[in-house]
Amino acid sequence: MPDVTTTARRPSHWPAFRSPLRSTALTARIGRVLGICFGICFVTGLLSHYQYAPWAWLPEPANPVWLYRVTQGLHVATGTATIPLLFVKLWSVYPNLFRWPPVRTVKHALERLSVFVLVSTALLQLFTGFFNALNWYPWPWNFVVVHFALGFVLIGSILLHIGVKLPDIDYGLKAKLADADVLTETPWSDNPDAHSNAGDVPPPATPAISRRRVLVATGAGIGAVVLTSVGQTVTPLEPLGLLAIREWTKGPQQLPVNKTADQAGVLTSARSADWQLQVTGPKAYALGLADVEQLAQVEADYPITCVEGWSAGAHWRGIRLLDLVTRAGGSADSRVTVFSLEENGAYSSSVVFGPQVSAALLATHLHGERLDIDHGYPLRLISPNRPGVLNTKWLRRVEVS
Ligand SMILES: Nc1nc2c(c(=O)[nH]1)N[C@H]1C(S)=C(S)[C@@H](COP(=O)(O)O)O[C@H]1N2
Ligand SMILES: [Mo]
């Protein structure tokens, strides 16, 4: 760890680090929280991925309706909290980059390579995730595929890192913050050659208060980042939402808008007087606007949760999807696909199966008002405990199979 001492063979321009703020005890404590955050982020990320594209043999439960709101909110909040945490962790160990000699053995070279993979993957994963939450995609690759794959690379290299560092972690967690640090006092403690000067090193000052301050400042940094972003999920915190770009107060009918009707190119078709909902299946039929409005008698409180991290509770009125499906000759076991007037892109259709068929509504009303065009007028899908992206807006067809 840090505090490189002078050895005869180290080049004279080589940087030396002597901050007594760094210590194995501090690094281990930050690392522990970091590991927990990465763990939560990984597990909730896996859940999110599954809910985005559930497996045919394991349909998504419809209850509790708010579960995805909680797991995805946790995913984004822990990911965001991890950014300042990772920086402090890197600060606490980066003098290791400058230890001399840079590489001692093949095993050591592999270890350094694994740390490089860990750090670069972590930075890439956290920052692309954070930009994604800001709805900004300044890269040419498919975010979902890359984010998913890197999640495994990251968790794998974290586990490897923990395995390799177990003795140091054990030492660091047992040591008190105030303790002088034997691990950081001698360079390459297992390399006898490098020890030649170790005896000359005075024991470092042990300013426990300052190390504690590092921890407190880290906690404050995390708190600040989280508080300014969770407003997009935890509605009472919304006024603090500096980093939360989509909040319910910023959208029509007290709900954020992911993509407007204008952006989707459906302004005209959604308002057309001869709009119809086509229902295809064993017994196909079509419903006009008046039919749809007259059938819309069921109400439900289903939150809408975007994979990008915002969510909001909402009160809907609409037609039970199952009623349309049964009338078309299907049942609660049918596999149903809904199609949007927006014909291209990933949001143009969505599949509903399993318990979701009985729970989903085709909504005409939001918070007691006829749907705003940006929320999917004349008719949209709203299903509970699923990513918002699957709740297709501006429906034109329902296919029952
Ligand atoms: N046709 C269509 N439906 C769509 C989208 C879209 O871009 N086009 N966005 C989806 C996404 S990503 C979310 S989070 C929700 C948001 O619904 P809202 O804009 O009414 O809040 O709509 C979903 N339905
Ligand atoms: Mo979304």
Side-chain angles (χ1 to χ4, degrees), residues 78-96:
T78 49
T80 309
T82 303
I83 293 178
L85 204 51
L86 181 65
F87 278 126
V88 178
K89 175 76 162 62
L90 291 178
W91 164 83
S92 80
V93 294
Y94 89 95
N96 280 344

Side-chain angles (χ1 to χ4, degrees), residues 256-259 310 340 342 347 375 380 388-389 391 393-394:
V257 168
N258 172 272
K259 192 197 283 173
W310 63 264
S340 174
E342 179 190 10
Y347 305 126
H375 286 309
R380 78 170 301 163
V389 52
N391 288 322
K393 305 195 276 193
W394 314 294

Side-chain angles (χ1 to χ4, degrees), residues 107-130:
K107 176 173 161 274
H108 178 235
L110 287 176
E111 191 198 314
R112 296 203 92 180
L113 183 69
S114 77
V115 170
F116 173 77
V117 172
L118 168 56
V119 173
S120 47
T121 316
L123 288 173
L124 192 64
Q125 194 72 332
L126 291 175
F127 275 95
T128 53
F130 184 66

